[in-house]
Amino acid sequence: INMSVSNALGSNVFDLAFCVGFPFFLKSLISGSAVDVGTSEDFLFLVLAVLMLAVVLVGVLLIGKMQTQKFQSVGLLSYYVVFLVLYCVLFGED
């Protein structure tokens, strides 16, 4: 189980860091200027949610001595459900 959790975390960190960041890097390298990603409220909400999730995830792993227990998994899943509900309520189509 530990290897699968490590694989999932490593894959997601790679996806966020490289697969999202690299295209922006290439665009700024080619154009010679910064890439405007906008400052819309939903973008800021997403960035803050990802940062909070990272802090919560590291805290959960440190508390559990790098092993996840069932209650920790339920807590992380609950965080995701709250995120989805808040996003739909705040930024969903009317």
Side-chain angles (χ1 to χ4, degrees), residues 54-73:
V55 169
V56 168
L57 181 60
V58 168
V60 165
L61 291 175
L62 288 176
I63 289 170
K65 296 179 183 171
M66 301 309 282
Q67 294 182 350
T68 55
Q69 304 296 323
K70 199 176 281 188
F71 75 93
Q72 293 168 324
S73 301

Side-chain angles (χ1 to χ4, degrees), residues 11 15-16 18 22 25 32 36-37 41 47 49 59 64 70 84 92:
S11 174
D15 288 346
L16 286 173
F18 185 77
F22 190 67
F25 171 73
D36 182 22
V37 295
E41 290 178 5
V47 168
K70 199 176 281 188
L84 288 178

Side-chain angles (χ1 to χ4, degrees), residues 1 18 24 34 38 44 49 53 55 57 70 79 88:
I1 289 177
F18 185 77
F24 287 119
L44 292 175
L53 177 60
V55 169
L57 181 60
K70 199 176 281 188
Y79 179 91
C88 289

Side-chain angles (χ1 to χ4, degrees):
I1 289 177
N2 289 338
M3 290 299 292
S4 61
V5 171
S6 297
N7 185 26
L9 290 176
S11 174
N12 289 324
V13 168
F14 176 79
D15 288 346
L16 286 173
F18 185 77
C19 297
V20 172
F22 190 67
F24 287 119
F25 171 73
L26 283 180
K27 174 69 175 165
S28 66
L29 190 66
I30 292 169
S31 70
S33 62
V35 177
D36 182 22
V37 295
T39 56
S40 63
E41 290 178 5
D42 60 338
F43 180 74
L44 292 175
F45 178 80
L46 293 172
V47 168
L48 290 174
V50 168
L51 290 174
M52 285 180 56
L53 177 60
V55 169
V56 168
L57 181 60
V58 168
V60 165
L61 291 175
L62 288 176
I63 289 170
K65 296 179 183 171
M66 301 309 282
Q67 294 182 350
T68 55
Q69 304 296 323
K70 199 176 281 188
F71 75 93
Q72 293 168 324
S73 301
V74 170
L76 291 172
L77 186 60
S78 300
Y79 179 91
Y80 182 66
V81 169
V82 168
F83 161 76
L84 288 178
V85 169
L86 279 175
Y87 189 79
C88 289
V89 168
L90 295 174
F91 304 107
E93 296 292 326
D94 290 328

